[in-house]
Amino acid sequence: MQRKGPTIKTDRLHARFADLFGPQPDVCVRAPGRVNLIGEHTDYNDGFVLPIAMSQALRVAASRRDDRRLRVHTAAFDQAVELDLEDLGPPGEPKWANYVKGVAALLLAEGIDLPGADLLIDSEVPVGGGVSSSAALEVGVANALLVLADRRLDPVALALLCRRAEHEYAGSPCGIMDQFICVLAEEGHALLLDCRSQSFDQIPMNLPGTALVVMDTQVKHEIGASEYPVRQRQCRDGLAAIQSADPAVQSLRDVTSETLGRFVDRMDPVVVRRCCHVVTEIERTVAAADALRAGDADAFGRLMISSHASLRDEYEVSCAELDALVAIVCSVNGVHGARMTGGGFGGCAIALVDAGAVDALSQAVKRDYDTRHDAPALVYTTTPSAGAEAWADS
Ligand code: GLA
């Protein structure tokens, strides 16, 4: 995980660190946000996902302390907490500190002898924006603490530890996608992750002349408190009904759009629709990976559009703002496809567009979306970046 040399500007981070804590940091970490290109609500069903790490990232600057205290400052809320490594205590307030606490507690539980540390966190990944600011925080802090402790963790073990921190300290029952992409991403590639075997394939983002545009509705979501756990339960209910007919089925991954029909009379109609989304989304994700390998932006875009329709109509995790954005941008010339990304209920949509059509897309959003909604959509491009990297700063 420790790679050579910063790939980002860290001047502002350094200046702030010096103001708060005195000398230069011993280590800096960059941990990216993510957008999922396709494969939504499939990770906790043993399916496939196809995310990229964004060029927008969270940064941590950190220095070793001689005592057992963690002093942590976040620029996002301009808040600080002080934690005691001898007694980290249960999750509490402020909520952002629970991610730090969770990661530190689980690293200690792994037998890693963490030193005290001063940490400054600064981020350009919008919080609650559906682009995985929380995984960036977990992975960023974990990397900083590991470098200070002069220890390494296998990337998959690190991703799983961060996911556990999210479950146990932030109360969010997320799947494995966000932490895996944050740790494993390669610049210029999307990650086809098999969430059953946890094996993965780095696929070059081979769509020349296109750009990826992120459109943030600014509608905040919090997956633990949302319908997310309800969807997980509905998937489990669907699986149980299928297993009562075919015990060989281990997860919705083992069902196809052809075989699903055999089980529908055993299920509640709402559960049928939830399962229908998962099963078809897994198929779309595999097809999208093939389209990416073939450099076929049109095919990829069509799959994004079907994915959005399925998330909107079958899985019912979209919202009016996301639907409006997707409809508006899909009518712009040069847009191959668009969809909501992440857990849903707010957050971001993404579009795959010809590079020359980005301005027309922005204008269409200003004209047809911003004038009709309380908050304007924040529109920006992103590129597939590397996963978390840490470098000693002296
Ligand atoms: C959230 C979770 C992920 C995944 C997505 C939906 O972002 O953190 O694990 O389940 O929702 O695809």
Side-chain angles (χ1 to χ4, degrees), residues 93-179:
E93 293 290 335
K95 287 204 167 60
W96 64 267
N98 291 332
Y99 299 94
V100 180
K101 205 183 266 186
V103 161
L106 294 174
L107 287 171
L108 288 170
E110 284 294 303
I112 293 171
D113 186 18
L114 297 180
D118 290 330
L119 295 111
L120 168 62
I121 299 158
D122 194 5
S123 187
E124 51 194 23
V125 183
V127 175
V131 288
S132 213
S133 55
S134 53
L137 177 55
E138 292 144 17
V139 172
V141 168
N143 269 295
L145 295 178
L146 281 166
V147 173
L148 294 179
D150 201 18
R151 291 286 300 270
R152 279 161 200 229
L153 270 188
D154 164 78
V156 168
L158 176 62
L160 290 171
L161 181 141
C162 290
R163 203 262 299 239
R164 233 181 105 196
E166 178 125 6
H167 281 203
E168 294 175 13
Y169 283 79
S172 298
C174 60
I176 65 171
M177 167 169 69
D178 305 342
Q179 292 77 14

Side-chain angles (χ1 to χ4, degrees), residues 9-356:
K9 286 193 82 172
T10 50
D11 304 1
R12 196 180 73 167
L13 191 69
H14 278 91
R16 190 86 175 99
F17 191 89
D19 278 356
L20 287 164
F21 297 121
Q24 287 284 297
D26 296 332
V27 57
C28 285
V29 177
R30 170 191 165 280
R34 67 99 186 90
V35 287
N36 188 19
L37 301 180
I38 195 162
E40 220 64 84
H41 291 275
T42 50
D43 60 351
Y44 53 84
N45 286 298
D46 275 357
F48 289 93
V49 292
L50 189 64
I52 61 159
M54 301 165 82
S55 33
Q56 290 73 17
L58 169 140
R59 286 143 205 175
V60 183
S63 278
R64 219 184 143 98
R65 291 174 60 85
D66 291 333
D67 58 17
R68 302 278 294 152
R69 306 205 65 81
L70 288 183
R71 292 195 302 172
V72 193
H73 188 100
T74 175
F77 305 113
D78 200 20
Q79 280 180 354
V81 293
E82 197 162 325
L83 306 170
D84 181 357
L85 285 170
E86 297 296 332
D87 179 16
L88 283 163
E93 293 290 335
K95 287 204 167 60
W96 64 267
N98 291 332
Y99 299 94
V100 180
K101 205 183 266 186
V103 161
L106 294 174
L107 287 171
L108 288 170
E110 284 294 303
I112 293 171
D113 186 18
L114 297 180
D118 290 330
L119 295 111
L120 168 62
I121 299 158
D122 194 5
S123 187
E124 51 194 23
V125 183
V127 175
V131 288
S132 213
S133 55
S134 53
L137 177 55
E138 292 144 17
V139 172
V141 168
N143 269 295
L145 295 178
L146 281 166
V147 173
L148 294 179
D150 201 18
R151 291 286 300 270
R152 279 161 200 229
L153 270 188
D154 164 78
V156 168
L158 176 62
L160 290 171
L161 181 141
C162 290
R163 203 262 299 239
R164 233 181 105 196
E166 178 125 6
H167 281 203
E168 294 175 13
Y169 283 79
S172 298
C174 60
I176 65 171
M177 167 169 69
D178 305 342
Q179 292 77 14
F180 269 65
I181 184 65
C182 189
V183 170
L184 292 166
E186 277 185 15
E187 191 177 353
H189 292 73
L191 183 84
L192 179 67
L193 174 64
D194 179 337
C195 300
R196 169 177 271 174
S197 66
Q198 296 177 1
S199 62
F200 52 88
D201 194 5
Q202 303 279 2
I203 305 183
M205 204 53 207
N206 172 33
L207 301 172
T210 65
L212 268 175
V213 182
V214 181
M215 297 157 286
D216 185 349
T217 60
Q218 302 199 65
V219 177
K220 298 289 174 204
H221 76 147
E222 213 180 291
I223 70 166
S226 72
E227 290 272 305
Y228 188 93
V230 175
R231 293 296 175 279
Q232 290 180 314
R233 202 192 58 232
Q234 290 166 332
C235 290
R236 283 196 299 274
D237 289 350
L239 178 62
I242 293 167
Q243 286 173 327
S244 68
D246 183 351
V249 170
Q250 284 170 16
S251 68
L252 293 181
R253 164 75 173 275
D254 296 323
V255 182
T256 66
S257 43
E258 277 92 54
T259 57
L260 182 63
R262 298 210 319 253
F263 308 109
V264 296
D265 53 0
R266 294 171 176 263
M267 293 180 203
D268 175 275
V270 172
V271 170
V272 171
R273 291 199 284 122
R274 306 299 187 243
C275 292
C276 181
H277 165 72
V278 172
V279 165
T280 57
E281 184 77 354
I282 292 172
E283 292 170 349
R284 278 188 291 272
T285 307
V286 174
D290 288 343
L292 196 51
R293 288 189 189 98
D296 190 341
D298 282 336
F300 199 96
R302 281 194 297 274
L303 290 159
M304 292 172 83
I305 294 169
S306 318
S307 168
H308 185 79
S310 177
L311 288 156
R312 182 191 60 210
D313 302 336
E314 310 288 7
Y315 217 60
E316 296 183 284
V317 291
S318 188
C319 63
E321 291 84 352
L322 288 166
D323 294 343
L325 272 175
V326 168
I328 290 164
V329 304
C330 280
S331 66
V332 174
N333 264 341
V335 172
H336 297 279
R339 58 183 288 278
M340 56 155 277
T341 187
F345 308 107
C348 294
I350 49 164
L352 177 68
V353 307
D354 288 337

Side-chain angles (χ1 to χ4, degrees), residues 354-371:
D354 288 337
V358 173
D359 282 349
L361 179 152
S362 300
Q363 292 309 320
V365 170
K366 277 204 179 74
R367 190 187 57 233
D368 297 333
Y369 182 90
D370 293 355
T371 50

